[in-house]
Amino acid sequence: MTRGRLAPTPTGYLHVGHARTFALAAARAAGGTLIYRTEDLDAGRCRPDFAAAAIEDLRWLGLQWQEGPDVGGPHAPYVQSQRLPWFREVWSLLQATGAIYPCDKSRKDVERSLTAPHAEDDAEPIFPPELRPALDAGHDAHEPGPTNWRFRVPDGEKITFDDALQGPQTYVAGRDFGDFLVWRKDGFPAYELAVVADDHAMEITEVVRGGDLLLSTSRQALLYRALRWTAPAWAHAPLIVDAGGNRLAKRTAGLSIRELRQKGKTPEEILAAPLNQLLS
Ligand code: GLU
């Protein structure tokens, strides 16, 4: 039985891209269980009104989930900001494997050490290996403390996984992505740790999400391996592009579910009509 999930981050109103990815997640979990999880760990950018609006918008679209903040369920709470003790526990599990280390390097330190310019403007810079501490750094820590923690990636290793929608994927650790954050010095887990911790705790069998997270999935595969947890199946929806081939993420004005609804568009149109038709 599939256990799928919808996991929006409430930093704004959901748009048509979210609507379509979430509808796909719901369809693939049909007959099984769909859970709804609010990923609100970025306290500076997330807002409770956006979290409430997301639930309302998706219900209006006709999506139905069986577990979530508005319906409870055995894995409650479904709001990540209420799950910090669990994330701390997962930090401890990771720390015990020796896979993560405390990192006091600032963004400036990283920039100064970067020799090659990054290939794409929005590509995350690879954390320079020469800034890593000694192998045993942080091994005697009992709590994360006010410092960042990173996962030490196996340089040069090919990380492969089969995506249910996009086929076999290969990323090279240390080349496509570097040592990534698992814990932030502000006391919150980083996205990669939180999402793996919760997909595991909520017994998710298939993760459906946007194609912009494919690279993140290779990091998450490393976390599953370090924790000796079985990874879920992954299905990354192709990114929605407009008629000019521009990624929707770059152009969301006028495409929030709210605005489209106010303009009289139906759920069916929002889920399936060509973008130019929605914008007219
Ligand atoms: N909360 C993330 C986002 O809205 C998605 C996380 C995921 O699906 O793994 O971008």
Side-chain angles (χ1 to χ4, degrees):
M1 282 288 241
T2 302
R3 275 181 68 85
R5 82 318 192 258
L6 313 177
T9 299
T11 50
Y13 292 117
L14 297 184
H15 59 68
V16 61
H18 297 116
R20 292 178 184 191
T21 300
F22 289 155
L24 179 66
R28 291 179 67 94
T33 304
L34 186 66
I35 70 149
Y36 185 106
R37 181 171 76 228
T38 301
E39 302 208 325
D40 61 343
L41 289 171
D42 186 346
R45 294 174 57 229
C46 293
R47 289 185 5 202
D49 54 327
F50 288 139
I55 289 176
E56 196 199 295
D57 288 348
L58 293 176
R59 288 281 191 212
W60 175 78
L61 278 176
L63 299 195
Q64 289 180 358
W65 48 92
Q66 290 73 46
E67 298 174 27
D70 53 342
V71 282
H75 299 269
Y78 290 87
V79 177
Q80 285 193 322
S81 58
Q82 296 170 16
R83 299 175 59 77
L84 286 177
W86 166 236
F87 301 133
R88 284 287 297 269
E89 213 175 304
V90 176
W91 172 86
S92 290
L93 294 174
L94 278 172
Q95 188 267 345
T97 69
I100 62 174
Y101 62 83
C103 176
D104 59 4
K105 303 299 175 203
S106 66
R107 194 179 293 250
K108 277 228 164 62
D109 296 327
V110 173
E111 276 164 15
R112 227 175 280 133
S113 279
L114 289 173
T115 41
H118 343 139
E120 289 167 48
D121 289 348
D122 55 358
E124 189 188 286
I126 306 290
F127 185 79
E130 65 270 23
L131 296 185
R132 286 171 174 156
L135 270 175
D136 62 354
H139 282 200
D140 51 1
H142 297 293
E143 51 177 62
T147 181
N148 288 327
W149 287 72
R150 289 181 186 273
F151 186 96
R152 190 186 300 264
V153 305
D155 290 333
E157 193 186 319
K158 283 188 183 152
I159 312 299
T160 58
F161 57 92
D162 267 326
D163 187 88
L165 298 168
Q166 307 207 26
Q169 304 290 316
T170 302
Y171 292 96
V172 178
R175 187 196 75 188
D176 296 323
F177 64 96
D179 291 3
F180 57 90
L181 276 186
V182 291
W183 198 267
R184 304 191 321 224
K185 61 182 176 196
D186 61 4
F188 289 90
Y191 160 70
E192 311 288 6
L193 183 152
V195 78
V196 166
D198 273 355
D199 284 336
H200 174 76
M202 297 176 184
E203 301 168 306
I204 299 304
T205 61
E206 185 181 76
V207 166
V208 180
R209 59 186 169 203
D212 52 334
L213 285 168
L214 264 174
L215 178 58
S216 258
T217 297
S218 53
R219 301 184 186 105
Q220 292 170 28
L222 286 175
L223 288 177
Y224 280 103
R225 188 170 81 183
L227 290 160
R228 296 177 185 273
W229 290 347
T230 304
W234 283 293
H236 290 83
L239 293 176
I240 298 177
V241 292
D242 66 16
N246 300 306
R247 269 175 55 178
L248 182 62
K250 312 242 177 217
R251 192 217 176 299
T252 53
L255 284 173
S256 73
I257 300 170
R258 303 238 128 175
E259 281 166 281
L260 293 169
R261 179 180 173 183
Q262 273 155 18
K263 274 168 56 185
K265 303 292 179 191
T266 64
E268 291 70 31
E269 287 171 311
I270 292 173
L271 292 177
L275 290 189
N276 52 357
Q277 192 177 317
L278 286 181
L279 284 164
S280 63

